């Protein structure tokens, strides 16, 4: 039906946002609420000799001022690490404590030292300026390349290294490299990014002294997970005494997965002063303290045989995880990165070593794509370099090395087993979309105008639908990877879905309703969607890693199975037939071979008004819950092709065309899928051309505002051609794979490869991100200088 | 503190405000209309765009007192859930929003853009919305929305 699976249904949630009726955390107020403002370190690394809060405490409107000792005295712990890995020598990841407010030491600019709570935001801010902190400065450790020889950041942690992890067969890989006909070597840097969801983080905590319980409104992608971590690990209170609500959330992109210290301080102080405490970040604080993304240096060696087939791959990575280990910081460069190094290619042996380093910068964690963009970037840059070195067309070199269609399920050399895929038709379609074969004509036409035109290919794979719990657990994950959904059918046949996933732009109210509509044959308008409140929904793991549909949607499908199964029994009773003979289609129950039928609404009514009902064998009511733990990851894959023109005089890159062909399996709502792809590509283009988080050698963040951190704006971007191919996922009921991160994963190498392709006639063979006009212009100048030598 | 009197969405608002109170805080905290958002502290993101006497203004760059005697229109004042403004309708029909946080400012900027240029080209729309940051949509569908909105508004 037109409102079911596969239809581009317009979004249910739009109206409230379009009319200004959205309710984000900062839009919510409580009677008697006070405002928290944090005193933050303005130096990167220092011992704190003393803190004087006297003047601040006496300032107008101030209710309380607290420092690290106050929190410690109440025994409140800091945020915990949700994933650890073993080191190469068998020892464990170093997990230094992360206090809520600094305990004797600060480790990055923005580290919280004290909190000032006052009757108004202005009063809290101005009193904060009266807090005097006496520092004994220590050398900053801001440079990833030299971090291991920098000053000790955490007591007893050697060489500022959190972990030193490996995956794959080192001996076999090194042998392949030695015996190769050709070894392609490349060193790339994956630039550091700041997520910049447009809604800054915010928290509003209140304490109910009668019930001894707390309510926290917060900007979270996963309110249940936040509740678990806050209650069980940080506050050690019964989980049932904390309600976490993530209302409307204005974008996340990973940055709102984690529990941050500010939320915990609001909860803690709301009890201390017995008033609701609210905190909202200004953008500067977001830049300084939201978990950043990426920041890898990768050294790659790719071994080819005489026929240009890949025979081995070695990748040595150092990555910057910042001052404290954020919740999933360890997983991102290891299991979300090392395991993806096979890409879409048949590579017999792979080895990777990853060193996770501490620096005196903000913590680094998952940002849209999380590890998979880094893997794709290094691999697709190397594939391009290899194609150039062996003199093959970039698309054909990839085609030659693709995992063939008949090789699935395909076991990679780095732990994953891809269930399904068909990469060639996908590549062909992307090439057709951009008219690849006529590119050379366009290149010569551009050169007549003095422009260098280039085309760049990026074929990617990602592991989504995080995560099979047993696999995650075996690899160091400390949480499960399932998702939950409840379906409540009302007596009149309307339905409410309660989902453990969280929507902060993804449109779950619409897509999840489509699944219900399809399965129960009821109009979309009869489905309500509830999420984001730990008191209302079943325990859920939330939204990240393109998992909402692939795990949460499948949980919903399973709950609907249960509803249908029970409904059939009720219908069988009503129609005096046996349940096995009852069929359900388009909202109607029928009995095979008869003209008996009963509507879904009649069954619902019978369930709640069970006058004529098999009460001896069946409970009344119609409400079902399912928890679904995936069997495997899902593997969306595809090819993006970018076409650019570079002005050699200015270094300005213009994106003239973009073709994205993705295989996300079955689609629930193509309109929403396209929107996700657009947004992802924009973030990838931002990474490749514009964005960079830059710390100076003193550990000061020089890009802490929109004046200095270049966000993609409407006039920086083109329109995109987006299409899909489909090999349905083989191990979930909906055949879906997930689409949220693909754009951000695929696009940076497509763009950088296109720029290199454009400038290769000038001798340019490398380009760093972001490829700003200055970077591009310098690369051209350097190449020309080399050519003149 | 000082008295300020202005109209917000046609309704007279008389309030005591601090001399430093920004128009955006006045709208959100004093008047209680939270559809106007705050996305930055450097007047760069456009989440706070409202119309002051028919001209789009970043409400974080203006003091409440400077709006004395003005007519301010916010996102809540241009249409209702029963009857959306044609530009709101166009954003809905073209999937021009995801998380919705930039949306009020984006719609207010788009309306002003179209009031000045009845049928803007893609390049003119991209140029005209350069002061509004959206992190979710990649702008593709926002551009489509504004084109459709312009048509609906009679361009
Ligand atoms: S809040 Fe960002 S421009 Fe006004
Ligand atoms: S829709 Fe989320 S920032 Fe624009």
């Amino acid at each position: 039906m037109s409102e079911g699976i596969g239809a581009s249904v317009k979004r249910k949630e739009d109206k409230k946002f379009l009319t200004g009726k959205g309710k984000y955390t900062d839009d919510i107020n409580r009677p008697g609420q006070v405002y928290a403002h944090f005193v933050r370190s303005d130096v990167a690394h220092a011992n704190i000799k003393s803190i004087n809060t006297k003047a601040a405490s006496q300032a107008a409107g101030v209710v309380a001022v607290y420092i690290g000792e106050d929190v410690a005295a109440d025994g409140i712990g800091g945020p915990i690490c949700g994933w650890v890995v073993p080191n190469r020598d068998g020892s464990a990841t170093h997990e230094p404590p992360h206090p809520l407010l600094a305990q004797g030491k600060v480790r990055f600019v923005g580290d919280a030292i004290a909190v000032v709570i006052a009757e108004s935001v202005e009063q809290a801010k101005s009193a904060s300026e009266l807090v005097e902190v006496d520092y004994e400065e220590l050398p900053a450790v801001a440079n990833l390349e030299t971090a291991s020889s920098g000053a000790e950041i955490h007591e007893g942690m050697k060489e500022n290294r959190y972990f030193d992890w490996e995956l794959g067969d080192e001996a076999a890989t090194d042998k392949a490299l030695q015996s190769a006909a050709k070894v392609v070597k490349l060193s790339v840097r994956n630039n550091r990014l700041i997520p910049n969801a447009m809604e800054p983080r915010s928290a509003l905590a209140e304490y109910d002294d009668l019930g001894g319980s707390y309510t926290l409104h917060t900007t979270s992608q996963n309110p249940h997970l936040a509740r678990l971590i806050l209650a069980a690990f940080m506050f050690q209170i019964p989980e049932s005494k904390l309600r976490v609500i993530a209302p409307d959330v204005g974008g996340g992109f990973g940055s709102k997965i984690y529990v941050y210290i500010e939320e915990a301080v609001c909860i803690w102080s709301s009890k201390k002063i017995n008033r609701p405490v609210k905190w909202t970040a200004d953008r500067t604080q977001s830049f300084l303290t939201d978990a950043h993304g990426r920041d890898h240096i990768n050294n790659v060696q790719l071994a080819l045989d005489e026929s240009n087939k890949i025979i081995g791959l070695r990748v040595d990575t150092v990555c910057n995880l910042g001052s404290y280990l954020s919740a999933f910081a360890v997983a991102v460069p290891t299991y979300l990165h090392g395991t993806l190094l096979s890409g879409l290619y048949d590579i017999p042996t792979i080895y990777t070593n990853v060193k996770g380093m501490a620096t005196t910068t903000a913590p680094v964690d998952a940002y849209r794509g999380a590890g998979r963009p880094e893997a794709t970037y290094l691999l697709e840059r190397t594939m391009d370099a290899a194609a150039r070195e062996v003199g093959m067309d970039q698309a054909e070199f990839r085609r030659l090395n693709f995992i063939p269609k008949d090789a699935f399920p395909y076991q990679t050399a780095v732990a994953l087993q891809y269930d399904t895929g068909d990469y060639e038709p996908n590549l062909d379609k992307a090439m057709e979309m951009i008219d690849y074969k006529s590119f050379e004509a366009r290149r010569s036409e551009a050169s007549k105008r003095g422009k260098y035109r280039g085309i760049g290919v990026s074929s990617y794979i990602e592991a989504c639908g995080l995560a099979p719990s047993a696999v995650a657990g075996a690899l160091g994950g400390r949480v499960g990877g399932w998702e939950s959904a409840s379906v409540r059918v009302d007596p009149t046949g309307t339905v409410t879905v309660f989902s453990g996933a969280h929507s902060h732009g993804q449109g779950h109210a619409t897509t999840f309703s489509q699944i219900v509509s399809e399965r129960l044959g009821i109009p979309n308008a009869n489905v309500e969607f509830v999420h984001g409140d730990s008191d209302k929904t079943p325990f859920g793991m939330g939204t990240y890693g393109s998992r909402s549909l692939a795990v949460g949607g499948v949980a919903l499908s399973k709950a609907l199975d249960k509803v249908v199964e029970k409904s059939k029994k009720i219908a069988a009773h009503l129609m005096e037939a046996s349940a096995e003979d009852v069929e359900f289609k388009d909202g109607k129950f029928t009995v095979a071979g008869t003209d008996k039928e009963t509507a879904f609404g009649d069954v619902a009514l019978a369930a709640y008004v069970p006058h004529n009902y098999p009460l001896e064998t069946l409970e009344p009511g119609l409400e079902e819950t399912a928890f679904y733990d995936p069997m495997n990851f899902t593997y969306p894959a595809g090819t993006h092709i970018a076409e650019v023109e570079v002005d050699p005089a200015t270094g300005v890159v213009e994106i003239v065309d973009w073709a994205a062909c993705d295989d996300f399996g079955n689609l629930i709502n193509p309109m929403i899928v396209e929107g996700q792809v657009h947004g992802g590509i924009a973030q990838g283009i931002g990474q490749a051309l514009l964005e960079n988080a830059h710390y100076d050698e003193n550990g000061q963040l020089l890009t802490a505002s929109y004046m200095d951190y270049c966000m993609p704006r409407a006039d920086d971007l083109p329109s995109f051609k987006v299409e899909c191919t489909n090999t349905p996922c083989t191990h979930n009921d909906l055949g879906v794979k997930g689409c949220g991160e693909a754009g951000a994963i695929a696009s940076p190498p497509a763009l950088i490869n296109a720029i290199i392709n454009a400038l290769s006639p000038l001798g340019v063979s490398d380009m760093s991100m972001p490829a700003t006009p200055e970077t591009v212009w310098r690369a051209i100048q350097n190449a020309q200088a080399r050519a003149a030598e | 503190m000082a008295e300020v009197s202005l109209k917000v969405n046609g309704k007279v608002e008389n309030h005591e405000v601090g001399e430093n109170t920004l128009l955006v805080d006045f709208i959100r905290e004093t008047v209680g209309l939270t559809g106007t958002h705050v996305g930055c502290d450097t007047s760069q993101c456009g989440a706070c765009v409202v119309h002051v006497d028919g001209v789009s203004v970043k409400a974080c760059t203006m003091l409440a007192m400077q709006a004395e005697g003005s007519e301010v229109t916010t996102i809540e004042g241009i249409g209702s859930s029963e009857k959306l403004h044609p530009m709101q309708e166009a954003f809905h029909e073209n999937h021009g929003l995801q998380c919705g946080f930039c949306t009020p400012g984006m719609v207010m900027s788009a309306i002003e853009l179209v009031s000045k240029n009845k049928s803007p080209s893609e390049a003119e729309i991209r140029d005209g919305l350069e002061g509004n940051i959206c992190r979710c949509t990649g702008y593709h569908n926002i551009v489509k929305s504004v084109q459709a909105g312009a048509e609906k508004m009679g361009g």
Side-chain angles (χ1 to χ4, degrees):
Chain A
M1 66 188 285
S2 65
E3 292 195 321
I5 291 176
S8 285
V9 174
K10 307 289 176 237
R11 297 203 321 169
K12 288 185 165 190
E13 42 274 270
D14 284 355
K15 259 191 192 175
K16 72 170 167 176
F17 296 128
L18 281 165
T19 54
K21 304 270 165 45
K23 274 275 170 271
Y24 301 88
T25 300
D26 190 56
D27 299 340
I28 297 164
N29 293 299
R30 284 287 176 264
Q33 89 190 7
V34 287
Y35 299 84
H37 187 75
F38 289 83
V39 177
R40 298 184 185 277
S41 177
D42 50 16
V43 298
H45 196 194
N47 289 319
I48 298 175
K49 288 183 7 202
S50 65
I51 307 171
N52 186 342
T53 60
K54 193 151 172 251
S57 311
Q58 291 163 355
V62 170
V63 177
V65 182
Y66 298 116
I67 60 171
E69 277 71 29
D70 300 315
V71 184
D74 280 2
I76 311 296
I80 56 158
C81 190
W83 198 299
V84 289
V85 294
N87 290 317
R88 281 198 287 182
D89 66 7
S91 60
T93 296
H94 196 104
E95 291 181 78
H98 181 181
L100 292 190
L101 297 171
Q103 303 270 359
K105 194 172 179 187
V106 287
R107 295 183 176 84
F108 72 104
V109 172
D111 211 354
I113 296 169
V115 62
V116 177
I117 298 168
E119 300 289 345
S120 75
V121 180
E122 293 70 37
Q123 287 170 329
K125 277 190 181 167
S126 50
S128 298
E129 279 162 28
L130 303 174
V131 173
E132 286 168 26
V133 183
D134 193 7
Y135 299 107
E136 177 200 357
E137 279 204 54
L138 300 166
V141 184
N143 187 338
L144 174 57
E145 274 142 296
T146 54
S148 63
S149 57
E152 182 183 79
I153 299 172
H154 290 286
E155 208 183 323
M157 191 168 98
K158 288 200 196 78
E159 298 179 347
N160 289 324
R161 194 158 53 228
Y162 291 116
F163 65 80
D164 179 2
W165 172 86
E166 66 182 350
L167 180 68
D169 187 336
E170 184 172 23
T173 304
D174 286 348
K175 210 168 136 218
L177 286 163
Q178 277 150 20
S179 67
K182 184 160 201 68
V183 175
V184 181
K185 294 186 182 173
L186 193 68
S187 175
V188 296
R189 172 136 202 173
N190 209 284
N191 46 327
R192 184 176 179 122
L193 304 175
I194 301 177
N196 273 300
M198 290 317 295
E199 179 208 19
R201 287 191 293 117
S202 180
L204 170 60
E206 48 195 316
Y207 179 66
D208 167 14
D209 57 352
L210 291 174
S213 59
Y214 302 85
T215 302
L216 173 72
H217 283 84
T218 186
T219 46
S220 176
Q221 300 177 214
N222 27 241
H224 269 108
L225 198 55
R227 183 178 77 150
L228 173 66
I229 291 170
L230 283 161
F233 295 95
M234 296 169 71
F235 284 80
Q236 287 161 18
I237 54 171
E239 221 179 316
S240 53
K241 293 291 182 192
L242 174 63
R243 176 181 184 185
V244 177
I245 303 170
D248 291 327
V249 174
F253 315 114
S255 69
K256 293 171 181 168
I257 295 173
Y258 333 107
V259 169
Y260 287 87
I261 60 107
E262 292 88 357
E263 294 153 292
V265 170
C266 287
I267 294 175
W268 172 72
S269 53
S270 73
K271 180 178 180 186
K272 278 228 124 28
I273 59 175
N274 204 9
R275 290 176 69 176
V277 178
K278 185 175 189 176
W279 167 81
T280 300
D282 52 33
R283 184 56 60 182
T284 309
Q285 292 180 62
S286 307
F287 273 107
L288 289 173
T289 68
D290 287 5
H292 293 184
R294 317 282 193 257
D295 210 353
H296 282 200
I297 298 170
N298 316 101
N299 283 300
V300 191
Q301 300 176 69
L302 184 74
L304 304 179
D305 69 11
E306 297 76 18
S307 57
N308 299 331
K309 291 271 290 174
I310 303 169
I311 54 166
L313 172 70
R314 181 180 175 120
V315 182
D316 292 277
T317 292
V318 283
C319 62
N320 189 349
L321 299 179
S323 49
Y324 300 101
L325 265 193
S326 177
F328 296 105
V330 176
V332 173
T334 57
Y335 286 104
L336 293 175
H337 176 254
T339 54
L340 271 301
L341 289 173
S342 199
L344 312 81
Y345 309 111
D346 181 17
I347 307 181
T349 176
I350 301 175
Y351 173 78
T352 187
N353 169 236
V354 181
K355 293 179 170 62
M357 306 303 295
T359 58
T360 56
T361 63
V364 179
D365 205 321
Y367 167 62
R368 201 172 196 165
R372 290 150 292 174
E374 295 91 322
T376 302
Y377 184 69
L378 72 86
L379 191 59
E380 288 306 291
R381 284 287 314 276
T382 307
M383 290 300 285
D384 227 52
R388 255 193 320 280
E389 285 190 30
V390 301
M392 272 186 82
D393 173 80
Q394 51 186 327
E396 295 317 309
F397 178 66
R398 285 174 171 82
R399 190 192 303 277
L400 172 71
N401 282 289
F402 276 160
I403 298 163
K405 180 184 171 180
D406 56 12
F408 294 94
Y410 176 83
Q411 179 62 51
T412 71
V414 273
L416 298 180
Q417 192 187 77
Y418 302 162
D419 62 331
T420 181
D422 189 1
Y423 307 139
E424 279 202 58
N426 182 282
L427 172 69
D428 288 336
K429 191 159 181 178
M431 290 168 76
E432 192 186 303
M433 285 161 72
I434 206 150
D435 191 11
Y436 191 89
K437 61 179 189 320
S438 321
F439 170 72
E440 286 307 327
R442 297 195 292 278
R443 195 202 294 268
S444 15
E445 185 278 326
S447 79
K448 291 192 192 115
R449 289 181 279 113
K451 296 282 177 66
Y452 286 84
R453 192 154 173 137
I455 194 161
V457 176
S458 161
S459 296
Y460 73 95
I461 191 159
E462 49 174 335
C464 290
L466 310 184
S469 294
V471 177
L475 302 180
R478 288 169 169 168
V479 290
W482 46 267
E483 194 47 88
S484 64
S486 289
V487 175
R488 178 183 299 163
V489 182
D490 301 319
T492 53
T494 57
V495 165
T496 306
V497 173
F498 301 83
S499 171
H502 186 274
S503 179
H504 30 279
Q506 295 88 341
H508 295 173
T510 306
T511 46
F512 283 41
S513 297
Q514 287 179 254
I515 297 172
V516 176
S517 177
E518 172 87 24
R519 300 288 300 283
L520 299 184
I522 62 172
N524 229 315
N526 287 1
V527 186
E528 293 300 317
F529 181 75
V530 177
H531 71 142
D533 184 340
S534 65
D535 265 12
K536 291 184 180 163
T537 70
F539 195 108
M541 299 307 292
T543 288
Y544 46 84
S546 303
R547 71 190 301 279
S548 296
L549 179 62
V551 192
V554 178
L556 171 59
S557 167
K558 297 225 178 272
L560 288 165
D561 285 345
K562 294 187 188 177
V563 168
V564 170
E565 197 187 303
K566 183 169 178 183
S567 299
K568 278 185 175 172
K569 290 183 187 155
I570 302 170
H573 180 88
L574 294 177
M575 296 188 289
E576 296 171 342
S578 110
E580 294 81 66
D581 296 336
V582 173
E583 280 167 14
F584 181 56
K585 200 166 171 264
D586 298 335
K588 280 197 188 75
F589 298 89
T590 51
V591 181
T594 74
D595 59 358
K596 289 182 183 173
E597 70 170 53
T598 185
F600 179 70
D602 297 329
V603 167
L605 189 65
Y608 290 95
V609 188
H611 297 163
N612 172 22
Y613 193 90
L615 285 167
E616 311 74 37
T617 53
L618 205 60
E619 288 174 20
L622 197 50
E623 175 166 341
E624 298 289 348
T625 298
F627 287 74
Y628 168 68
D629 204 293
M631 305 296 294
N632 189 353
F633 296 94
T634 59
Y635 298 100
T639 296
H640 286 212
I641 305 181
E643 197 161 320
V644 300
E645 281 190 9
V646 184
D647 182 341
T650 60
V652 170
V653 174
E654 189 197 347
I655 303 169
V656 290
D657 205 358
W658 196 286
C661 188
D662 302 288
D663 178 356
F664 298 133
N666 295 336
L667 308 184
I668 305 296
N669 183 322
M671 174 193 82
I672 287 179
V673 169
E674 277 180 34
Q676 288 291 313
V677 174
H678 297 156
I681 297 173
Q683 288 181 359
I685 291 175
Q687 166 162 35
L689 284 191
L690 309 165
E691 299 178 40
N692 192 39
H694 185 68
Y695 283 92
D696 72 7
E697 71 274 19
N698 298 318
Q700 293 291 337
L701 181 62
L702 300 184
T703 50
S705 83
Y706 289 142
M707 320 273 252
D708 305 301
Y709 186 90
C710 189
M711 292 281 280
R713 291 170 185 268
D715 58 351
D716 294 314
L717 300 176
S719 287
F720 311 109
K721 293 174 183 156
V722 177
E723 292 196 41
C724 287
T725 54
N726 180 8
T727 58
C729 172
T730 59
H731 57 79
N732 68 44
D733 298 349
L734 296 171
V736 296
K737 298 182 180 178
C739 66
E741 298 163 291
I745 293 170
S747 53
L751 191 47
I752 297 296
N753 287 342
I755 298 171
I756 295 173
N757 180 272
L759 299 178
S760 57
L762 292 169
V764 172
S765 59
D766 192 14
M767 183 62 56
S768 56
M769 296 195 292
T772 61
E774 184 190 342
T775 302
V776 173
W777 185 84
R778 281 188 196 286
I780 296 171
Q781 301 308 308
N782 291 341
Q784 286 178 334
R786 272 199 310 274
E789 267 165 24
Chain B
M1 298 295 268
E3 272 290 320
V4 64
S5 174
L6 52 100
K7 272 190 180 171
V8 179
N9 301 333
K11 192 165 157 263
V12 178
E13 299 284 349
N14 286 315
H15 296 279
E16 283 257 292
V17 297
E19 267 132 58
N20 298 329
T21 302
L22 297 172
L23 179 59
V24 68
D25 292 330
F26 175 81
I27 293 169
R28 286 178 58 79
E29 307 295 334
T30 311
V31 184
L33 293 174
T34 55
T36 302
H37 296 152
V38 179
C40 74
D41 44 16
T42 51
S43 304
Q44 297 271 311
C45 76
C48 62
V49 170
V50 298
H51 294 170
V52 177
D53 297 326
V55 178
S56 75
V57 165
K58 287 179 171 170
C60 69
T61 59
M62 189 172 182
L63 297 172
M65 284 174 60
Q66 290 174 301
E68 169 71 33
S70 297
E71 300 233 7
V72 174
T73 309
T74 70
I75 189 71
E76 291 93 343
I78 57 163
S80 66
S81 48
E82 292 76 46
K83 179 130 189 52
L84 293 177
H85 184 281
M87 190 59 79
Q88 291 170 313
E89 233 170 61
F91 270 70
H92 173 60
E93 284 161 9
N94 292 280
H95 190 28
L97 65 153
Q98 292 183 21
C99 79
F101 196 79
C102 73
T103 309
M106 204 60 90
V107 169
M108 296 308 278
S109 293
I111 291 173
E112 159 159 276
L113 190 148
V114 172
S115 74
K116 287 189 183 149
N117 178 354
K118 295 216 172 323
S119 52
S121 66
E122 171 169 352
E124 286 168 337
I125 293 169
R126 289 186 179 276
D127 217 44
L129 294 180
E130 183 268 347
N132 293 72
I133 304 178
C134 174
R135 192 54 148 170
C136 299
T137 63
Y139 306 100
H140 180 111
N141 285 342
I142 290 179
V143 172
K144 270 171 63 183
S145 302
V146 177
Q147 271 164 340
E151 256 171 56
K152 282 174 187 278
M153 284 168 69

